[in-house]
Amino acid sequence: MKSCIKWFEEISLADLSLVGGKSASLGELTRELTACGVRVPNGFAITVDAYDAILDTGAVRESLEDLFDGTDRADSGNLTQLAQAARAIIKDAGLPQFLREQICSAYRQLSSLYGDAATDVAIRSSATAEDLPDASFAGQQESFLNIQGESAVLEACLNCFASLFTERAISYRRDKGFEQMSVKLSVAVQKMVRSDSASSGVIFTLDTESGFRDSILITSSYGLGENVVCGRVDPDEFLVFKPTLRSGHKPILRRKVGAKQQRLVYSTHGSRTTSNINVPDEEKSKLSLSDDEVIVLSKWALSIEDHYSKLHGKKVAMDIEWAKDGRDGQLYIVQARPETVFSSHFSNTLCTYSLKEKGELLLEGRAIGEKIGAGPVRLIRSKNELSEFQSGEVLVADMTDPDWEPVMKRAAAIITNRGGRTCHAAIVSRELGVPCVVGTHTATEVLQPHSEVTVCCSEGAQGKVYSGLLPFDRKDVSVEDIPKTITKVMINLGEPDQAFSLAQLPVDGVGLAREEFIIANELKIHPLALTRFDSLTDKVAKQQIAQMTKHYPDKCQYFVNKLTEGVSTIAAAFYPRPVIVRLSDFKTNEYASLIGGQQFEPKEDNPMIGFRGASRYYSESYRDGFALECRALKIVRDDMGLTNLKIMIPFCRTIEEGKSVLSEMSANGLNRGENGLEVYVMCEIPSNVILADAFAELFDGFSIGSNDLTQLVLGTDRDSELVAQVFDERNLAVKRMIEMAIKEVKRAGRKIGICGQAPSDYPEFAQFLVERGIDSISLNPDVVLKTIPIIAKAEETLPSLLRKNEMDAVMSAQ
């Protein structure tokens, strides 16, 4: 009798028609990538010949064909009965005797390889239409974990073959245009990795929200990996930058601690092979992977992506499953397949969503996608309630299940209590293009059935659920229709969560990355409250800081890590385009509002022109706080390799201050010119303009801050409503000051741009800047696409303007 067993080392992707996508991929990994250090648990595939043998038993094939004849277009109402009947036909037929013998023989051999009498294995379905470029089919069939003993293996294999006809598999094939009998099934039998006593998760070699291709996303949680895939837990997340990982750096951009509510372990109860146990609070608050383990997995992911890309003749993003064995402490790759959602949705069109107005905020969670959807709430607590779901409703559930896919496609939006960026609800909603918010924790309690809500995923990493049906805009812009400009167009950015999406805009980099946004939103703690923690007098703040930093023996490292992650994410998103990060520019009242800040900040009548910017950095009262900023930026540039990062000094009043700040930076390892470091200065004080030639000897470039420059030229407090009517960047005095700054800086041979608010608010101001020969204009993201054509039009007269500027320079020199 023909053998239906193929060991992983005997197969490759070329055998997809024989062993299906999952088994073929395991063979490819075993044969080609173990030499690169990638560890893959051994195992064997049961070929599709076995599936044919089952169908050839009695009248199984004919019975299935009769069952599906004329029913491929059946609606979801009769899917359940159809699927149950199909599976019953296969289970009633059973496995032919010769096949039972072959499977048992291979299982005994695998057990012997691992020194076991009956080793534990994972048994996974592997369909011949699986992991195709335009359809993944992943998760459509069943998998069985922690299977031991010959009889249990045989039963699981039969259930796998029958699972070719689950409701979700039938529905998915129908939607993708596959005939039900055209797909065959193989079964992969693989040594289990004992991640029940360690951790496991999923790797994507792109950012799953924006499609950013230079990142690796790793999710991780305690126990077996099914919890992460199914969305039962909110996993830890790690984001790694590919280009500098390749050059030997360790660029972990973000670390996010997930709730990790449960751990899936081997069960000792009755017939169940696995069960969930609650994770202790102390373990929940810790990361489930070390930095070194994250880097190892990332390097393996790169090797796998490179190999698959070579096979396909083009760049292929990967969806990879990994597990850590708690017994030997080793990491393993247990599956890999091409990612299909973003790979099949590439477009030269930028599609943006924005709310026209906001309502009462009901919930927050993890945003999946960047769309907005609205409709009445439909609360689904069990599969039995799916038949009640109506098109256009917002599906609200504790978590979703693969069997729900037929109704998920009809939802206006999806909201779940649990799950992370790689859970079932997230993956399916991305593929369907449905806005989704996962990990809200309380959606099923807070949202009332039939109440109307708006689900917004367009405001960064946090997805938001608002009360009512709020109006919103959708804009589609073809990148090919956006004109090219001579003037560098950059953006202002302070939210790292938006960096990957905004990096898709046709801009030349980031002209202003605001540290204070990262400090206020991510760190929340005053830096001196960390450097001088023992002397804190505010007991409430001290207790709060102790809780926030409890996993940091050195509390200062909390500040350094968080700032490093925020800045590096922005720098990586735009790499190798320049990113100019402005050192913290809080005023004393703003610093005081940070946790623990009251003790360290003086009270000033006018903080706008007080102890801010450069004057803080070299001051004895703040220099150890500034040192934390320098440590973070040095890590971003030197350890992570993001040398596209430039540093900008705000509110530098005098030449002496400039020298003092550069000296302080040097004392903290940031030397201008070393490793290509460029240091810019904000041009926002009249002294910066008047002494532009002297400042140019200290700094590599200037960036006009039109808000502060207007304040100081016109003598108006821009925080005061009483003189708000006077504050206008278009005032002739301000424009002449800006014109003088551009002229003097360019005469000194330095670059000058603008990062202030004016060109974002007033299109005619952007035109004025172009006509005066500014090198770059940094805009708020929401006005980039409408301002670029204005800049391009203004540049139509540039040749004559440039000649005039050259003549002016000659006349001045004479």
Side-chain angles (χ1 to χ4, degrees):
M1 186 64 68
K2 180 179 180 181
S3 175
C4 294
I5 303 299
K6 289 287 184 182
W7 290 89
F8 290 163
E9 64 189 24
E10 299 178 296
I11 54 180
S12 69
L13 287 177
D15 298 303
L16 188 144
S17 62
L18 179 66
V19 297
K22 193 175 278 88
S23 297
S25 184
L26 286 169
E28 190 74 28
L29 291 170
T30 301
R31 284 175 51 151
E32 303 297 336
L33 286 156
T34 52
C36 301
V38 178
R39 295 190 196 92
V40 184
N42 204 356
F44 58 89
I46 306 170
T47 70
V48 296
D49 293 332
Y51 173 74
D52 282 332
I54 296 172
L55 264 60
D56 290 338
T57 300
V60 172
R61 190 183 304 274
E62 292 78 6
S63 298
L64 288 172
E65 289 174 345
D66 290 343
L67 182 65
F68 286 109
D69 185 28
T71 63
D72 267 13
R73 297 182 180 178
D75 60 34
S76 59
N78 65 16
L79 266 181
T80 300
Q81 294 178 341
L82 185 67
Q84 288 175 346
R87 293 196 300 274
I89 291 172
I90 291 178
K91 289 183 180 181
D92 288 345
L95 300 175
Q97 182 59 33
F98 84 92
L99 183 57
R100 296 169 63 89
E101 293 173 358
Q102 289 185 12
I103 294 172
C104 289
S105 175
Y107 174 66
R108 288 192 292 269
Q109 186 176 342
L110 181 63
S111 298
S112 177
L113 287 173
Y114 283 96
D116 298 326
T119 196
D120 46 356
V121 293
I123 297 181
R124 304 178 186 276
S125 306
S126 179
T128 55
E130 198 169 52
D131 301 340
L132 300 178
D134 58 348
S136 81
F137 282 79
Q140 303 304 318
Q141 288 81 41
E142 299 290 351
S143 293
F144 300 91
L145 305 179
N146 187 31
I147 305 301
Q148 291 178 287
E150 293 179 13
S151 61
V153 168
L154 292 173
E155 181 182 3
C157 289
L158 179 61
N159 287 333
C160 271
F161 283 119
S163 73
L164 187 60
F165 298 105
T166 60
E167 292 174 50
R168 58 185 180 269
I170 294 171
S171 173
Y172 194 84
R173 285 194 294 271
R174 185 184 64 208
D175 292 343
K176 293 295 182 181
F178 285 79
E179 293 294 330
Q180 296 297 338
M181 297 300 292
S182 67
V183 178
K184 298 183 179 182
L185 198 77
S186 162
V187 174
V189 180
Q190 184 179 32
K191 177 71 175 78
M192 275 292 294
V193 177
R194 288 299 301 268
S195 59
D196 60 312
S197 57
S199 56
S200 59
V202 179
I203 306 171
F204 282 94
T205 61
L206 49 58
D207 179 62
T208 54
E209 303 316 312
S210 64
F212 182 67
R213 298 298 295 267
D214 278 340
S215 66
I216 295 169
L217 172 67
I218 300 174
T219 59
S220 172
S221 191
Y222 300 123
L224 304 174
E226 297 301 303
N227 274 354
V228 175
V229 175
C230 295
R232 295 190 190 99
V233 297
D234 305 325
D236 297 333
E237 293 183 5
F238 305 86
L239 202 62
V240 180
F241 187 52
K242 292 180 190 174
T244 56
L245 177 68
R246 291 185 186 278
S247 59
H249 295 86
K250 296 183 177 181
I252 302 177
L253 304 178
R254 307 299 296 270
R255 302 168 185 82
K256 177 180 177 291
V257 179
K260 302 185 293 294
Q261 298 94 325
Q262 295 179 313
R263 182 199 300 267
L264 187 64
V265 299
Y266 286 179
S267 177
T268 57
H269 301 86
S271 61
R272 288 185 297 165
T273 58
T274 60
S275 61
N276 266 307
I277 60 174
N278 292 330
V279 176
D281 289 341
E282 182 64 21
E283 286 189 63
K284 288 179 182 178
S285 61
K286 294 180 180 178
L287 290 169
S288 51
L289 280 177
S290 69
D291 282 1
D292 287 343
E293 289 170 333
V294 170
I295 294 299
V296 168
L297 288 173
S298 297
K299 289 180 177 178
W300 287 359
L302 270 185
S303 296
I304 293 169
E305 182 183 69
D306 288 347
H307 179 72
Y308 272 73
S309 296
K310 184 177 179 181
L311 288 177
H312 287 78
K314 62 178 182 179
K315 194 71 171 177
V316 176
M318 298 299 295
D319 173 356
I320 302 165
E321 296 175 27
W322 66 273
K324 179 181 178 180
D325 196 305
R327 296 172 303 181
D328 62 20
Q330 299 292 339
L331 297 166
Y332 294 88
I333 298 298
V334 296
Q335 189 51 247
R337 64 183 70 86
E339 191 278 335
T340 59
V341 177
F342 276 100
S343 301
S344 61
H345 285 76
F346 178 78
S347 173
N348 284 324
T349 300
L350 294 173
C351 178
T352 61
Y353 286 75
S354 60
L355 286 174
K356 289 184 175 181
E357 60 184 63
K358 293 186 180 180
E360 177 190 358
L361 181 62
L362 302 175
L363 281 170
E364 288 186 299
R366 190 73 178 182
I368 305 301
E370 298 173 350
K371 295 183 177 181
I372 299 174
V377 167
R378 173 67 67 174
L379 191 59
I380 301 293
R381 298 190 182 276
S382 73
K383 178 181 174 181
N384 296 332
E385 297 175 344
L386 289 175
S387 60
E388 301 173 8
F389 190 85
Q390 302 296 314
S391 295
E393 292 181 325
V394 175
L395 192 159
V396 179
D398 182 50
M399 54 181 274
T400 64
D401 185 272
D403 288 327
W404 294 21
E405 185 268 337
V407 301
M408 291 172 71
K409 71 181 69 172
R410 297 189 279 122
I414 298 168
I415 307 170
T416 68
N417 289 341
R418 295 188 279 171
R421 286 209 279 168
T422 57
C423 72
H424 172 265
I427 291 173
V428 172
S429 64
R430 283 191 205 99
E431 185 167 353
L432 298 175
V434 176
C436 176
V437 177
V438 299
T440 63
H441 303 297
T442 58
T444 55
E445 299 172 18
V446 172
L447 301 180
Q448 298 301 311
H450 312 300
S451 63
E452 294 179 328
V453 297
T454 298
V455 179
C456 181
C457 296
S458 67
E459 299 180 71
Q462 284 295 98
K464 299 180 180 180
V465 181
Y466 295 101
S467 176
L469 303 180
L470 303 179
F472 59 90
D473 277 334
R474 169 180 169 159
K475 294 182 181 178
D476 296 312
V477 179
S478 173
V479 176
E480 296 175 353
D481 295 337
I482 299 172
K484 304 294 182 183
T485 61
I486 299 170
T487 308
K488 299 294 185 184
V489 177
M490 307 176 86
I491 65 168
N492 301 328
L493 182 59
E495 297 286 354
D497 289 335
Q498 297 179 352
F500 287 163
S501 296
L502 294 176
Q504 299 176 57
L505 290 170
V507 295
D508 297 295
V510 177
L512 174 63
R514 299 181 177 98
E515 267 193 21
E516 52 269 20
F517 275 64
I518 300 170
I519 294 171
N521 296 333
E522 298 289 333
L523 286 83
K524 305 182 191 310
I525 301 174
H526 193 290
L528 296 184
L530 296 168
T531 63
R532 306 174 192 180
F533 178 76
D534 292 338
S535 65
L536 268 180
T537 57
D538 185 334
K539 292 182 180 180
V540 174
K542 193 168 187 176
Q543 184 178 10
Q544 193 174 359
I545 293 170
Q547 177 64 26
M548 294 171 69
T549 62
K550 65 180 180 180
H551 295 302
Y552 293 86
D554 175 7
K555 297 193 180 303
C556 294
Q557 197 60 41
Y558 169 86
F559 187 98
V560 174
N561 281 12
K562 294 290 186 182
L563 185 58
T564 297
E565 290 178 2
V567 171
S568 67
T569 299
I570 297 173
F574 289 84
Y575 184 90
R577 291 171 287 178
V579 170
I580 303 171
V581 61
R582 185 178 68 190
L583 296 170
S584 60
D585 192 26
F586 284 125
K587 290 73 179 172
T588 49
N589 58 321
E590 294 168 334
Y591 267 116
S593 67
L594 296 173
I595 299 172
Q598 292 283 351
Q599 180 176 333
F600 304 103
E601 295 298 328
K603 295 190 183 301
E604 297 182 292
D605 291 333
N606 193 341
M608 275 289 183
I609 54 174
F611 188 45
R612 60 175 287 201
S615 60
R616 297 184 71 95
Y617 307 148
Y618 61 88
S619 166
E620 285 294 337
S621 65
Y622 188 74
R623 68 190 335 155
D624 54 343
F626 179 61
L628 301 185
E629 291 185 47
C630 292
R631 280 170 57 184
L633 298 180
K634 182 174 172 58
I635 290 170
V636 174
R637 285 184 50 83
D638 296 350
D639 296 353
M640 303 176 75
L642 293 163
T643 54
N644 61 320
L645 185 73
K646 306 175 190 293
I647 296 175
M648 186 154 65
I649 313 300
F651 225 74
C652 186
R653 296 173 170 95
T654 67
I655 301 300
E656 289 70 26
E657 275 205 325
K659 291 178 180 178
S660 296
V661 173
L662 289 174
S663 176
E664 199 67 30
M665 289 174 58
S666 182
N668 286 287
L670 290 173
N671 296 294
R672 178 185 166 216
E674 190 174 294
N675 197 19
L677 174 60
E678 292 186 1
V679 182
Y680 282 44
V681 65
M682 289 291 293
C683 184
E684 55 190 345
I685 305 170
S687 61
N688 301 142
V689 179
I690 296 167
L691 298 178
D693 56 338
F695 277 103
E697 293 181 7
L698 293 179
F699 298 105
D700 299 288
F702 294 69
S703 185
I704 298 168
S706 58
N707 290 346
D708 274 321
L709 190 59
T710 301
Q711 172 177 242
L712 295 173
V713 169
L714 298 180
T716 57
D717 180 349
R718 61 186 175 98
D719 275 353
S720 172
E721 295 181 3
L722 299 176
V723 291
Q725 74 279 3
V726 180
F727 187 94
D728 191 336
E729 300 96 320
R730 296 167 296 179
N731 183 280
L732 184 59
V734 179
K735 292 176 73 172
R736 284 189 176 177
M737 187 66 76
I738 290 174
E739 186 173 11
M740 184 190 307
I742 296 171
K743 184 176 180 179
E744 293 303 317
V745 170
K746 293 178 78 69
R747 190 198 304 273
R750 297 299 188 191
K751 296 178 180 178
I752 183 166
I754 187 169
C755 61
Q757 188 71 25
S760 293
D761 289 344
Y762 311 116
E764 69 274 20
F765 201 88
Q767 182 171 346
F768 157 75
L769 293 168
V770 172
E771 291 172 349
R772 295 307 179 269
I774 200 161
D775 292 309
S776 65
I777 298 176
S778 195
L779 302 161
N780 292 337
D782 58 338
V783 299
V784 166
L785 297 179
K786 74 176 184 181
T787 307
I788 290 179
I790 294 170
I791 294 173
K793 186 174 181 180
E795 288 179 346
E796 292 176 0
T797 57
L798 269 183
S800 60
L801 285 171
L802 289 174
R803 284 194 296 272
K804 180 180 182 299
N805 290 340
E806 290 171 1
M807 288 299 296
D808 288 345
V810 172
M811 293 297 291
S812 297
Q814 293 176 346

